[in-house]
Amino acid sequence: ARKMAARLSGGENRLVSLPLSRVRVIMKSSPEVSSINQDALFLTAKATELFVQYLATYSYKHGRGKEKNALTYSDLSHTAEECETFQFLADILPKKILASKYLKMLEKEKRDGEVGEDDEEDEEEEDEDET
């Protein structure tokens, strides 16, 4: 534990890339967390770092990253949508769409909703006629 604490204090032998002070702030933002053990902080930061590396590598290999020699947002959002392991990120990494396309989708949903409501009213009127 002392070796770990010594490495956490800084220097060239840093074991994590993420700033521990930021990780601590994020962890403390949870109402259930009152204090954070130094080992728990380190392990959380390291696990987060490894997770981000895995997500990036997977997205690069399964996206268009190899073609463009770059990792793009669309590679990440495609991974979140298609890979079961990362589906919990779909709300955080949504597919980008143009505002005009989004407005058309909203308009279509509104029209479909109105048609559905009219259909329900028609069914209610038919039920009244039968009684």
Side-chain angles (χ1 to χ4, degrees), residues 27-123:
M27 290 174 74
K28 281 198 168 199
S29 70
S30 175
E32 296 88 30
V33 175
S34 57
S35 65
I36 300 167
N37 177 306
Q38 195 67 8
D39 290 340
L41 175 63
F42 169 77
L43 292 173
T44 301
K46 190 63 180 177
T48 303
E49 184 179 311
L50 293 172
F51 173 77
V52 170
Q53 285 177 350
Y54 180 62
L55 171 63
T57 303
Y58 186 95
S59 298
Y60 180 83
K61 287 181 180 176
H62 294 87
R64 294 185 177 166
K66 288 183 181 177
E67 297 167 19
K68 298 178 183 179
N69 200 26
L71 177 63
T72 64
Y73 179 88
S74 61
D75 293 335
L76 293 167
S77 66
H78 181 75
T79 296
E81 188 176 294
E82 300 298 323
C83 179
E84 191 176 329
T85 303
F86 298 109
Q87 281 182 348
F88 73 97
L89 296 173
D91 291 342
I92 298 167
L93 294 167
K95 278 195 168 185
K96 286 186 178 180
I97 62 171
L98 296 173
S100 57
K101 187 174 180 182
Y102 179 71
L103 292 173
K104 285 179 185 175
M105 286 171 47
L106 286 178
E107 198 174 292
K108 184 180 183 312
E109 284 179 12
K110 186 177 179 185
R111 276 192 315 242
D112 291 349
E114 288 172 359
V115 170
E117 289 171 10
D118 290 344
D119 289 345
E120 288 174 13
E121 289 174 10
D122 291 343
E123 288 173 13

